[in-house]
Amino acid sequence: MKANELLNQIRAPWLQRVSVSIARGAGSREGFSQQLDRLFSCLQQAVTSGNPAWLDSVIHEWTGSPTLTDLQQRHNNVSDLLNKIISITNDVAIENLPEQDALDLLTTVMPIYTYALEKTARLEMEARVTYISNELAEMQQKLERLDRSKSSFISVAAHELKTPLTLIEGYTAMMRDLVSPNSNGQIDTLLNGVNIGIQRLRQIIDDMIDVSVIDNNLLSLNVQPLWLSHLFDLLKHDLEDVIRERHLNLEIKPFPGSDLWIYADAERLYQGLHNVLTNAIKYTPDHGRITVDGRTLPGFIEITIADTGIGISPEHQSQIFEKFGQLGHSNLHSSGKTKFKGGGPGLGLPITRGIIEAHGGTIWVESPGYDEEKCPGSTFHILIPSRTEPTDPKIAKLFGKLEKVQPEPDGKENPPTDSAAA
Ligand code: ADP
């Protein structure tokens, strides 16, 4: 007997069984019966034509409107429903047809059901992927909004704090002038304390302003020729006292590329490198070692700043470059900028990253992990483009002339004359 005639024979018991076992309540059963009727007719068409695509319209309709709960709770409702329908078809065929006919019918309809199941699973998966992508995009927008309000809060707070700070600074200077002639040692000590506080506050406010400038892509570089070795000489000199106080050993190796004349913003690079070095000091226990080294890479100079400090766990290695990405507890925050583990507001590394990226470089950290006992250390890598020609034509003109008249600096390479810009 042909499969379609066999289908006709089981139509009534099939509709009855599926409708009773799946639809709950008389109301939903009525609406659902019509849908089932349609499905059965499409199944018959698919059997007659040998084309399972006859089921497409029903599948699209059933999978086309998943509820929010289905999507959130990852329900594959239509796939589950089809699986039940397949099982009921099996039972109904066996119960209502002679054995051989039931076998013939099931052999014909199973590939059609398999096609329907695959298609349903794909459509349900696509619906979920679309839902998750939309959720992610929404989340991304929320985060961006949050970041913007954080950034404008920093900017407003910094500018608001700056005015009273300038007043305090001015009045303190006046008080110092008034008391100095009588030279009262105690008042001098107190005024010194106020001054240290003012300087620290100014530093934090300046950092807040720098962060908001970087966030808003407003950092402009004052590019000029420099040698990295000069910057490190200056840094070593400026950090000498604290290195001595903390019994640390700072070694700056004369690495390849440190004596190359490159075009960069000396002041900003100093600031960026200073932040990394102060962190190395802060997070390395007394008697530890800090080593600056580097090498040249095609188009770049790589600087490495390695310490023998407490290290950074892998999951925090990218977080520390985000603003307020400090890892220590806030009760460890100290006003001493170089005290061991004396955390700050978490603005140093985001500023350094902003400065390095504004130069077209990049910064990252490598560390085996965080361990205050074993102190595995951290190594910060900084890539700076070895730009040996100025990008600004005005500067090119200025230094082009200087190149000819400038005496060769002792022990340094000549300013480059051929193009090796990154
Ligand atoms: P902070 O003001 O807290 O020092 P930074 O942005 O400079 O802010 O650094 C962010 C965090 O990164 C620090 O709080 C610290 O936890 C971690 N960190 C930075 N440098 C080091 C280092 N050399 N060794 C260990 N941890 C470090």
Side-chain angles (χ1 to χ4, degrees):
M1 208 183 290
K2 286 183 75 183
N4 236 329
E5 286 167 33
L6 297 173
L7 271 178
N8 266 334
Q9 281 185 31
I10 64 160
R11 187 180 188 119
W14 184 91
L15 282 173
Q16 163 75 9
R17 179 83 67 88
V18 178
S19 156
V20 168
S21 58
I22 292 169
R24 284 181 212 102
S28 67
R29 205 170 293 162
E30 198 181 322
F32 190 56
S33 294
Q34 287 168 5
Q35 293 283 336
L36 288 178
D37 214 36
R38 208 174 124 223
L39 173 72
F40 202 87
S41 303
C42 290
L43 184 65
Q44 284 184 307
Q45 294 280 10
V47 168
T48 315
S49 63
N51 183 2
W54 273 97
L55 291 177
D56 282 1
S57 62
V58 180
I59 296 169
H60 278 285
E61 202 173 302
W62 286 11
T63 52
S65 49
T67 65
L68 194 59
T69 325
D70 291 345
L71 291 168
Q72 280 170 345
Q73 297 182 356
R74 303 179 177 192
H75 287 158
N76 289 328
N77 280 351
V78 185
S79 298
D80 294 347
L81 178 68
L82 264 183
N83 272 319
K84 276 187 198 149
I85 289 177
I86 293 171
S87 149
I88 291 172
T89 310
N90 201 41
D91 294 348
V92 171
I94 291 168
E95 285 163 22
N96 293 278
L97 297 174
E99 200 175 317
Q100 187 54 47
D101 285 352
L103 195 65
D104 287 350
L105 177 65
L106 291 174
T107 317
T108 311
V109 295
M110 277 311 161
I112 297 171
Y113 273 140
T114 310
Y115 165 89
L117 257 183
E118 276 172 12
K119 184 136 196 162
T120 304
R122 188 160 53 76
L123 289 175
E124 285 189 320
M125 179 61 74
E126 278 172 11
R128 191 158 329 115
V129 168
T130 312
Y131 165 77
I132 292 170
S133 319
N134 290 342
E135 285 279 289
L136 276 177
E138 216 172 285
M139 191 74 79
Q140 178 80 14
Q141 276 178 359
K142 269 187 201 159
L143 284 176
E144 277 167 14
R145 270 202 302 275
L146 196 69
D147 201 56
R148 270 201 301 277
S149 42
K150 212 157 122 184
S151 177
S152 52
F153 169 76
I154 298 172
S155 162
V156 170
H159 284 100
E160 289 301 319
L161 288 171
K162 218 169 171 174
T163 320
L165 183 68
T166 311
L167 280 177
I168 299 171
E169 213 169 6
Y171 282 116
T172 316
M174 285 195 285
M175 277 161 77
R176 185 180 287 282
D177 286 348
L178 286 176
V179 297
S180 271
N182 310 327
S183 187
N184 182 328
Q186 229 176 1
I187 292 189
D188 250 10
T189 317
L190 295 178
L191 285 176
N192 272 342
V194 176
N195 238 345
I196 291 170
I198 290 173
Q199 277 171 25
R200 183 78 189 105
L201 206 52
R202 183 164 289 284
Q203 176 70 55
I204 293 171
I205 293 172
D206 286 347
D207 280 357
M208 286 163 80
I209 291 173
D210 280 346
V211 159
S212 72
V213 165
I214 288 166
D215 265 358
N216 292 299
N217 290 323
L218 292 174
L219 186 69
S220 62
L221 297 178
N222 179 15
V223 172
Q224 48 186 288
L226 59 90
W227 287 282
L228 287 173
S229 58
H230 278 195
L231 280 188
F232 280 114
D233 286 347
L234 199 59
L235 282 161
K236 187 166 187 169
H237 174 266
D238 292 349
L239 295 169
E240 221 165 50
D241 288 348
V242 51
I243 291 281
R244 200 177 320 108
E245 254 171 52
R246 295 277 322 282
H247 307 285
L248 296 166
N249 175 7
L250 170 64
E251 185 188 2
I252 297 178
K253 294 188 175 173
F255 58 88
S258 64
D259 280 343
L260 192 67
W261 233 51
I262 58 163
Y263 282 83
D265 185 327
E267 210 174 310
R268 287 294 186 183
L269 265 192
Y270 174 93
Q271 183 187 5
L273 294 169
H274 189 271
N275 286 345
V276 179
L277 278 171
T278 351
N279 278 342
I281 293 170
K282 268 198 301 192
Y283 300 103
T284 302
D286 291 8
H287 304 285
R289 210 173 52 251
I290 298 164
T291 314
V292 177
D293 203 352
R295 58 178 173 156
T296 48
L297 293 170
F300 288 91
I301 298 173
E302 182 183 20
I303 303 167
T304 53
I305 299 178
D307 61 53
T308 55
I310 57 177
I312 305 163
S313 59
E315 67 269 24
H316 289 136
Q317 287 173 15
S318 57
Q319 183 192 324
I320 58 171
F321 294 100
E322 302 300 328
K323 50 184 182 287
F324 305 117
Q326 79 274 33
L327 309 175
H329 294 292
S330 48
N331 57 4
L332 285 175
H333 284 200
S334 82
S335 53
K337 272 210 81 181
T338 47
K339 203 175 131 186
F340 179 48
K341 291 196 291 169
L347 297 176
L349 288 179
I351 293 174
T352 301
R353 185 179 72 168
I355 292 172
I356 302 296
E357 286 181 354
H359 279 85
T362 183
I363 177 170
W364 72 97
V365 66
E366 282 171 6
S367 169
Y370 172 83
D371 191 329
E372 289 193 23
E373 296 292 312
K374 292 188 184 139
C375 284
S378 315
T379 303
F380 282 80
H381 296 254
I382 298 169
L383 283 189
I384 299 184
S386 44
R387 205 163 278 130
T388 48
E389 275 192 351
T391 39
D392 183 346
K394 278 188 210 148
I395 294 188
K397 219 170 151 192
L398 177 66
F399 287 103
K401 272 187 196 148
L402 279 184
E403 259 179 46
K404 292 189 188 81
V405 292
Q406 180 174 297
E408 197 177 318
D410 266 355
K412 306 290 179 200
E413 282 176 23
N414 254 332
T417 47
D418 55 350
S419 164

